Structures are given as structure tokens and as C-alpha cells.
Amino acid sequence: MASSASSLLRASRSKLVSSSSASLSRTFARSSPRRSLGSSSAARSFGSAVPRWSHGVDWRSPLGLRPQIRALAPLLERFHRRIATSACENPFKGNLTSLPKPGGGEFGKFYSLPSLNDPRIDRLPYSIRILLESAIRNCDNFQVTKEDVEKIIDWENSFVKQVEIPFKPARVLLQDFTGVPAVVDLACMRDAMNKLGSDSNKINPLVPVDLVIDHSVQVDVARSENAVQANMELEFQRNKERFAFLKWGSNAFRNMLVVPPGSGIVHQVNLEYLGRVVFNNEGLLYPDSVVGTDSHTTMIDGLGVAGWGVGGIEAEAAMLGQPMSMVLPGVVGFKLSGKLRNGVTATDLVLTATQMLRKHGVVGKFVEFYGDGMGELSLADRATIANMSPEYGATMGFFPVDHVTLQYLKLTGRSDETVAMIEAYLRANKLFVDYNEPQPDRVYSSYLELNLDEVEPCIAGPKRPHDRVPLKEMKADWHACLDNKVGFKGFAIPKDVQGKVAKFDFHGQPAELKHGSVVIAAITSCTNTSNPSVMLGAGLVAKKAHELGLQVKPWVKTSLAPGSGVVTKYLRQSGLQKYLNEQGFNIVGFGCTTCIGNSGELDQSVASAISENDIVAAAVLSGNRNFEGRVHPLTRANYLASPPLVVAYALAGTVDIDFEKEPIGTGKDGKNIYLRDIWPSTQEIAEAVQSSVLPDMFRSTYEAITKGNAMWNQLQVPAETLYSWDPKSTYIHEPPYFKDMTMDPPGAHGVKDAYCLLNFGDSITTDHISPAGNINKDSPAAKYLMERGVEQKDFNSYGSRRGNDEVMARGTFANIRLVNKLLNGEVGPKTVHIPTGEKLYVFDAAQRYKAAGQDTVVLAGAEYGSGSSRDWAAKGPMLLGVKAVIAKSFERIHRSNLVGMGIIPLCFKSGEDADTLGLTGHERYTIDLPSKISEIRPGQDVTCNY
């Protein structure tokens, strides 16, 4: 075993890691047994000193228990005494200002930024002003200090220094895939409090928590008028236990709203209903802000609400009143000018912006949009761009509130008085942009500019959302992908078989598939189904195609899953839903469906034709993620496209087409029909939007949203505040995190003689680490379920079983498209057990290492953990015994999650990686860490011997 030179690795900066011992000295929080890089700065306290910030709950409640910090009853008493002397009243209370109503009286009081009389504030980006207002409002010189406020005011100079600041979001947003494990953790914490002799009912969210059940519905039934009801019945059959658990949580915990299944997609519901823009909390006014356990929480940025995705661990800390620790970000100013050309969609724009921003480099930064082109974008267009912030790598893609925002608030049913209050507050606090007035020069950390007139129709794929392909180049790009070696843009199909035709019988009808044949066409996802222009545009394409005699082939699995009930209403109002139905795009449910892998099974004849002939089949979806293995196991090529283009590709039946030169099909008169013949003009779409999207649709939809449906209302749940764990349950299982709690948890630890569990290349996503989709029948998770009497038809998905740690540990690194260098080119969820040389499922190999008392590490390339903000992608490796991940770079949220679960995220030094250092994964690894947490700092050099 050779030994490396010292300082081989550099500790990865994490927003959960405290950057100074001073911040650690301000808390009693200790490292958990698994925390190896120090306590979070977010763990600087257990409560807020601002009496009304936390919704009327006693600020001295020990509710800031971080799940991985040992909350002990004797410690709480000492803590209460400490906080009582440490915290003080808000030093900015003199800046509280009354906001008068035009007709007399006041809307409330607010912490005024103009009253600080600091000229630096006028130069701040609007997104940074929101951070500043939060710091001033929550300043108590304990959790949030005057020094923190000064850092933000001096943003122009301080952001380059990577300083850390605390931030308290106004609320937390969950969906059911990530919400179930969060509620499981809260229930587990209550049990721990109870065992320690303390009051378990003190475990409650201190800020509003909204949980929308949208990730469970699958496309089992498609192309049917009865699809919505049939899929919902199956959804409840599979998820009854999960849903009952969430319903129990909504009753057992205060400040928690659960929106029942069948209501819509979380981010569209947030945009149309939950988003406040400005809170009026018993007379205290402040900007709405939100963190969510879904990376596309950023969609709310299009409404001028600061919001972004975090891991479940960070979200739980925020729920329980702890400020989040974050690096004060740089802000990229993205200037928009001009106007989109006729026929170009918001989806084309967002795919173009995504490619530009990824090339520019915006990881860990805010992006703020401005310029004359803003007036040409509807609120829904802005939300589409904001939604894909994770795909271009930014923390936020922010659109400050302006007149377009106010118009949208009125359209979606917010009252005139509420909108008047929002406008008055934002204007008074310099948080409103009025493009009717001269605009001062904006100060940003860097700049980009896009003329909207230059945007052209495009799609993205076949394996990554930022691999944009102009529509006119698609055919050539597809053939290049067939030729290229296996990779993000390659399938390595030999030339002599690229023209292969797989003929089969589809329910008595002759059918055929080729490389590039479309087998799934899905109008899905929060990114696009919230935008009336592209949804009605899809309807117009279907209408024109029907009138000309074009028909989608019956073996293409088509589906339409709106993000809210409002979509159904305006599609029916416009008369276009019937044409979508004619083409097979019947509504299948209200949820994420295909975008998260809930695409359901393909017809057996189609699946067999693909598998037996090794066809590179394609899916085209109006989603935001197309990572390999995510959409469906049998679609190796997956393209993101606007809803109108989804319909067009479904009609063409292939992605191997040049829409400018080749016809989509033959019309009923025998003439060739081209894309231009069925593509609606911008004016046609605008007229449809104007006549069909009405405020009453939003009001009527959301008045009834919390009332649920018959199946939800029939769920019976216990009234107890402690959850009764069922040891036989395969959905909800008591996690092991608190079972061996001790009075004095161990401190920081290094890693000694660890084996390499997996050796990866670049762009390993959270879908690779912890898949959300189908449970393969031969996997360790399937074996576990079958041993407990669960039949394959009832496996459901990994995402639906995130409340059971036993299933999720077995599902870690279970993606069938996993490429592990230890397997020398073989693809799949297996690895080599180094001591014996045996090839095993990753879970089985990890169990062998654990049984022998041997630590493990993971080697990886760049962008490790990109994709969805999935806390199980950190929890799972921790349960497998992984102690460190050594990579070229990390995605922000995943890096924080690793730290939260005690896994050390380490970066190779610049210019180095496993290959340049000659690491094969067959070495043993020892990582030396300081024994004192106060000596561990992000960015410091760490020695690794191998």
C-alpha cells in the first residue's frame, strides 16, 4: 500500500459547515456520531429571540433540534439559561415603520431598509435585499448578529470573500417523496424526546410547512377518458399507508398543511396559491421566502419570492426554527432584451438560458433577471425559467416583483386588498421594480445578456437537460449520437445495424420500431404545465393535426398530467382538450408522473420489441430532467421539449426527423403534412390564453383544494401525537438515527483503512445514487419486499418507499444505468468486493464491509450529486457505511446533505482526480481529520494516505 503526499485533498466548502470556531462557540450543539466536518452554522441556536417570528410559539422551545444533534433534557435546561443571557432585543427595532393604507389606518409595520440611510443598499441586487431584510428583522445578536447585517449591506465587497451569513426562510415547502421521510424524522424525534423524559409535544414546526402530495401518481392507465380515476384508485391502493401517515402528521404537528393527492404539482400549487409574496403576520410585514425539499422550488422565484431547494436535513432544521447558514452568494445579472419570435416558446427560451448559464458558471450563485425584455415575458414564462435553476446550476433564478407580477396575482384570484398591500410594502421597502420609471445601473458580480429575438426552437437531450439541440439540427445530432461512443451524447450503435427495424404485433395491428422511435410522449412537469401559452399551444397543434387527418400511432404511450386543476378548466373552456384526447393525450392525473419516472409500464409487446432487438427507444417529455434511467428503464434516449413539440414528436413517431425538410405524416387528402402546417402562431396562442384563462378558474380550484377527495377523506388516522410504528410495514419504518442515543456523543473522527465501495466518473446524479423510480425485480430491495409478502405488482417505486430505511438502504446505488469503474465497463448496480474480488450488488458488498468492521469511501469525478435535492442520496450511503466521498466537485445541496449525515465531502486539488493520481479503487484509504471540531474548517487541506 503506497502512501500519498500530504495535503492531497481539499475539504469541500459546504454551507452547512461552520467556517470559524467562533460561530461554534456560540452554541451548545455537538457533533453527532456521524458528523465528521463539524457542526452546522445553522445549528448556532435552538430558537429565535424575535417573539413573533415563529408564529406565536414560545421562542425558548427546544425545537431547533437538528436531527443529527443529540438533544438531551439536562442540556436543554443549561441551554435555556444560556440563551436567556445571550440573546437580546432586536437592535433594529427603531427601524420598524408603519405602512399606511390609502384610505386610512395601516397595513402593518415593517423593518424599513430606506430608514437605514445607507447608500450601499440602493446598489444591492433585489435578491440580496431580501436576505438583508431577513437579517435585520431576525437580528438578536445571537442567531443573527449586527456583523451579519453589515456583511450583507457590504455585499459588493464581502461576497468575494465567501463569507457566511444566517438566513431564516419564512416557510418550508415539501412534496410527498421528500415529505414522508421528513415527517418520519419528526415522529422519531418525538419518540426520542419521550424516551429522554422530556415533552415530546415540543417537537413542532415553528414556521409554516406546506406539503403537497404530487409524486405518487403513476401513468398506469393512459389514452382513456377514465384514466384520472383509474390511476388515482391505484395510487391510493399502493400508497394508502403513506397517505394515512401524512394525514396523521397534519393533525399531530402544528403549522403543517397537507394538500391531498389529486390537487396538482407542488410548484404550480405554490405559484398559484401558496405563495404569499408578502407575509402579514399579525401586523408585521415581511417578504415571503421559502426553502423546499425539491430542487425546483426555485419556480417561485418567477413570482418574486426568494426560494430554493435544500436537502431534507436542512429543511427540518429550518422547520424547527434554526437559521440556515449560507455563503453570501455572487449575483449574475442576466439582461433580457427584444421579444420572442413568432412560434418560439418559453421552453425554447429556458433551454437556451440553461445552456448559457451553465457555460458561464453559476453554481452557488443567484441569477437575477432584468432589462427591457422583462415586459415581454408573462409571469408563467418567468416561472418556467426560474423553475430550471437547478439545471443551470444556480441557487436561484430571480425575477423581482413588478407590474407583471401584480397582474398575475390578480389573475390567480388573490384579493385586490392583498395585492394593494403587497405593492405598497414592496415599493416602500425598495423591493419593487417599476419599468415605467428610469432604471438605475444594476450592480452584479458578473453579467450576461440575451436578445429574445435570437432564441430558436430547440429540445434538450438525449441524457442531460443542458445538452440543447436546435430543432433544425436534431436529425444530424441524432445520427451523431448513434455513432458516438457511449456517453452523454452517444450510444455506440454500429453503422450496419443503425437502420434495424423491429416488427411486432400490437394488439392485432402490425407495428414497428427503429432506433429513435418515440414510445413515450408526455406533457408533464411543473416546468411547463403551469404555463397556459405552451399548454394551449399543445392543444392547438393537436387540433390542427386532427383536422388535417394526422393521428398518433397507438403504441406511443401518450399522457397529459396538468400541474393544477386550473389547466383542465382552461383546456375545456378553449375546446382544445377534446383534440388532445383524439391524439391520446387524455389527462392521466395531477402530479409529476413521467418527469420523475412514474411513467408506468409500456405495453408488453412494445417492451419486448425494444429489449429483444436492443432498440434505442426515445421518450419526449415537457419535463426538466432526462437523466439516464430516470424516465423509463427502456428509453435510453430522453428529450426535453415544449408541450407543442411533445405532440409533434408523438405524431412523427420518431426523433430521427428534420422538421423543416421532412413531413410529419400524410394528411387525409394524401398530401404531406409538415410541422409548419400544424404549428400555431404566437397570436393564435395569445388569443386562446386571453379568452380561456380566467380568474374564477383559480378561485374555484383553490377554494376546494384542502377539502380533499372521497378517498382521502375516508382515510382513518389515530389521534395520538406519538406515532405507533408497525414493525411489519414496508412503507413506514422507525429509522435507526436515535436508537443508540448517549449523553455524550463522540466527536469528530477520521477514516482508517477504508475500502473503495464505488469508483465513478463525472456527473453522478442523485438519481444514480438513490433512484426514485421502478424497483427492479432482481434487486436487493425487491428481495426484501418479496420476503415480506409484497408481490412485484405492488412494489411501487423507491420514491414512494422513502419512509422505510430498510428499502432505501437497499435501493442506494441501485440505478440500472450505473457506471462503476470497478466493473471494467459493465453497467448496472453492482460493484466488486475488494477483499474477495466477488461481484455483488452494492448493498450486499456494503453489508460485507460493515460486518467486517471496515469503512468505505466513494471516488467520483465532477458534479457529484447533481440533480434532485434528495436527502436519501446522503442517508442511504451513510446507512451503507460510507464515511467519505472524494470527488472533483459537488452539487451544492447534495454536499450539504452529506455533511448533515456525517459523510465527509472532499475535493481533489485543482487539476487532479482519481485518474491523474493513478487511483484504481483497489487501494485502502486513511483520511486524517483534526480531533477537535473547532479545528475543522471548510476549504482546508486534508491528508489522505492510500
Side-chain angles (χ1 to χ4, degrees), residues 215-224 227-228 230-232 234-235 238 520-524 557-561 584 586-603 631-632 774:
H215 273 52
S216 299
V217 61
Q218 299 186 35
V219 188
D220 293 291
V221 179
R223 288 176 167 262
S224 167
V228 172
N231 288 327
M232 183 174 284
L234 289 167
E235 179 186 9
R238 295 187 181 112
I520 292 176
I523 299 175
T524 178
K557 187 168 186 178
T558 46
S559 62
L560 167 57
N586 300 81
I587 295 175
V588 295
F590 298 88
C592 301
T593 62
T594 303
C595 188
I596 58 160
N598 286 355
S599 48
E601 296 296 334
L602 292 175
D603 187 90
V631 173
H632 191 282
N774 293 340

Side-chain angles (χ1 to χ4, degrees), residues 50 82 153 274 371 467 530 734 802 838 857 861 871 878:
V50 181
R82 166 77 181 271
I153 292 177
L274 296 173
D467 290 333
S530 60
E734 184 177 7
R802 286 182 183 161
E838 288 184 73
V857 300
D871 58 331
M878 184 274 282

Side-chain angles (χ1 to χ4, degrees), residues 192-212:
M193 288 284 281
N194 190 52
K195 291 172 185 174
L196 289 166
S198 190
D199 182 5
S200 59
N201 289 324
K202 289 182 178 178
I203 301 295
N204 274 299
L206 287 177
V207 301
V209 176
D210 301 312
L211 191 158
V212 180

Side-chain angles (χ1 to χ4, degrees), residues 439-462:
Q439 295 297 302
D441 290 337
R442 305 287 183 94
V443 178
Y444 295 110
S445 53
S446 62
Y447 298 82
L448 277 176
E449 184 170 356
L450 174 64
N451 185 337
L452 298 176
D453 186 60
E454 297 173 359
V455 177
E456 58 183 340
C458 57
I459 62 177

Side-chain angles (χ1 to χ4, degrees), residues 525-574:
S525 168
C526 51
T527 305
N528 286 292
T529 64
S530 60
N531 194 326
S533 64
V534 292
M535 295 300 285
L536 289 165
L540 288 167
V541 170
K543 179 176 185 287
K544 290 171 181 282
H546 174 76
E547 291 171 344
L548 290 171
L550 294 181
Q551 189 70 38
V552 176
K553 297 290 191 295
W555 53 85
V556 180
K557 187 168 186 178
T558 46
S559 62
L560 167 57
S564 84
V566 176
V567 179
T568 305
K569 291 178 179 178
Y570 66 63
L571 283 175
R572 287 175 179 162
Q573 171 78 15
S574 65

Side-chain angles (χ1 to χ4, degrees), residues 330-372:
V331 182
V332 178
F334 198 128
K335 186 175 182 179
L336 298 174
S337 60
K339 183 179 181 179
L340 291 175
R341 286 180 287 148
N342 186 44
V344 176
T345 68
T347 313
D348 302 322
L349 170 57
V350 71
L351 294 178
T352 302
T354 295
Q355 188 179 53
M356 289 179 64
L357 286 161
R358 282 195 74 92
K359 183 178 179 180
H360 184 77
V362 294
V363 173
K365 299 175 183 177
F366 291 173
V367 176
E368 187 166 298
F369 294 88
Y370 70 105
D372 295 338

Side-chain angles (χ1 to χ4, degrees), residues 745-872:
H749 60 81
V751 178
K752 185 173 178 59
D753 289 337
Y755 285 98
C756 178
L757 181 64
L758 296 142
N759 184 3
F760 293 129
D762 294 341
S763 297
I764 292 298
T765 70
T766 53
D767 277 292
H768 288 115
I769 304 167
S770 183
N774 293 340
I775 299 174
N776 186 283
K777 62 182 177 62
D778 298 319
S779 65
K783 180 181 177 183
Y784 172 87
L785 292 171
M786 287 188 288
E787 286 173 350
R788 282 150 185 81
V790 180
E791 297 180 31
Q792 184 179 346
K793 65 181 179 64
D794 298 319
F795 280 178
N796 212 332
S797 63
Y798 282 113
S800 68
R801 293 190 180 270
R802 286 182 183 161
N804 188 307
D805 57 281
E806 296 282 2
V807 174
M808 296 309 296
R810 288 163 173 79
T812 302
F813 299 114
N815 191 302
I816 62 170
R817 300 295 179 192
L818 207 63
V819 178
N820 173 15
K821 294 179 183 179
L822 293 176
L823 294 177
N824 297 318
E826 183 179 336
V827 177
K830 293 188 177 182
T831 193
V832 173
H833 181 249
I834 302 298
T836 63
E838 288 184 73
K839 185 173 70 175
L840 302 169
Y841 280 106
V842 175
F843 173 79
D844 295 332
Q847 292 304 103
R848 283 212 192 167
Y849 287 124
K850 288 181 70 176
Q854 295 161 338
D855 291 347
T856 54
V857 300
V858 171
L859 298 180
E863 299 179 334
Y864 182 81
S866 56
S868 301
S869 55
R870 193 165 291 172
D871 58 331
W872 265 111

